[in-house]
Amino acid sequence: MIPRICKLLLTVALLAGCASTNLQPVTSGAYQPLAEEKRINLACEQEQQRLADSEMIYDNRKLTAYLNAVALKVLPDEARGKVDIEIIVINNPYCNAFAYPNAKVYVHTGILARMENEAQLATLLGHEMAHVTHRHLLRERRSIRNKAAGLASFKATMGSVPLVGELSSALGELGTMASVSGYSKELETEADNIGFEWMVAAGYDPREAPKLFAHLMAEMEEENREEPFFFGSHPKLQDRQTNYQTCIAARGDVTGGVINRKGYEKAVALAIYETARLDLKAGRYAKAVKGIQRYLKIYPRSGRAHYLLGEVYRQR
């Protein structure tokens, strides 16, 4: 059951979105795909092909299988068979994750390297999958015409940011919208609340949900700067943390659940190392050191990790 406060937030968010779009989620028996959605999905496939043809996809079958298994665990029964969720990893050190409306969810190695456990991963995936099931990109796109110039400006200015320019070139309008600006506050709140209920129903510890965003905010404050993507924006992270704290307070029955820190770290260990390598390449020395030290806690005798740590100190 959804707690009363979260249910109220969901209702407000749904009314705000439905007032202009009146779109049923794909899990609804009244769901009917629109011709506009079919056109959007074709555009999605073209953008995704550019990503697939690039060298930015992180090809690690074990990691991909693990992420998809967690996603399937979080996705509710009523959505299975209606959306074919697929998690794909992008080799980029900046914290980000975004979903296309055709159920392809992209997660950066950077955010995998900063999360602490599987419960936090479930929170992130639940949020992104809720964007898919509740047709947020279509709902947002209908009101985003005035933001087109801003998205174009991002693509122009981010070309000079280390390890971001190539990605911004591969992402089209839809990918840029999802990965950079995110959605309206109402739709993001809706995704938070729905994803939260999904991760709790899947057996994960709800107390871990806000910790993910608190941790990301602390990292940004350490370096006194924001990152270029949605999950690198301090105000948006604060909104996420507040939303999840509200839902936890509303439950009143928080007794724990699955966290799985060791299993998560083992699954994402190579992504942690790769992110540290890319942080070094981008001149993000403090983040590189932190990533290597975390990897060494998992594999303390790793020669390449000790070598990379030496490179960080030498270059810095």
Side-chain angles (χ1 to χ4, degrees), residues 1 16-17 20 23 31 34 41 93 100 141-142 215 271 280 295 303:
M1 295 293 292
S20 60
L23 295 173
Y31 166 68
L34 303 176
N41 285 340
Y100 278 98
R141 193 169 185 266
R142 288 181 170 184
H215 180 61
L280 171 58
Y295 182 81

Side-chain angles (χ1 to χ4, degrees), residues 93 114 274-285 287-288:
R114 269 86 193 186
E274 182 62 15
T275 298
R277 188 186 69 81
L278 293 176
D279 279 329
L280 171 58
K281 184 177 180 180
R284 291 150 48 102
Y285 301 116
K287 288 185 180 294

Side-chain angles (χ1 to χ4, degrees), residues 51-203:
L51 284 169
D53 292 340
S54 73
E55 296 181 355
M56 291 177 289
I57 301 301
Y58 186 61
D59 186 15
N60 184 318
R61 293 183 181 181
K62 287 185 178 181
L63 173 59
T64 302
Y66 168 74
L67 297 177
N68 278 280
V70 174
L72 187 60
K73 183 178 179 181
V74 174
L75 192 70
D77 291 341
E78 62 267 25
R80 299 181 186 185
K82 296 183 178 180
V83 290
D84 188 14
I85 294 290
E86 181 183 1
I87 312 299
I88 303 167
V89 182
I90 290 181
N91 199 18
N92 189 282
Y94 293 93
C95 292
N96 204 36
F98 60 96
Y100 278 98
N102 63 349
K104 299 293 189 293
V105 178
Y106 290 83
V107 181
H108 287 210
T109 55
I111 201 166
L112 292 175
R114 269 86 193 186
M115 286 189 288
E116 298 174 315
N117 54 59
E118 191 174 298
Q120 293 178 8
L121 171 64
T123 302
L124 179 70
L125 295 181
H127 176 95
E128 294 302 327
M129 291 190 296
H131 282 317
V132 174
T133 60
H134 285 66
R135 305 162 81 184
H136 284 174
L137 193 140
L138 176 59
R139 289 163 64 180
E140 182 76 3
R141 193 169 185 266
R142 288 181 170 184
S143 63
I144 203 171
R145 306 303 180 186
N146 61 334
K147 296 181 182 179
L151 296 177
S153 175
F154 165 84
K155 292 173 72 66
T157 58
M158 288 299 101
S160 61
V161 177
L163 304 176
V164 173
E166 183 183 2
L167 180 56
S168 68
S169 298
L171 292 174
E173 174 194 349
L174 302 174
T176 302
M177 182 190 307
S179 66
V180 178
S181 62
Y183 302 94
S184 68
K185 188 170 183 177
E186 292 77 13
L187 295 183
E188 291 293 350
T189 297
E190 183 177 79
D192 286 340
N193 296 334
I194 293 170
F196 176 80
E197 292 303 322
W198 288 354
M199 68 89 78
V200 174

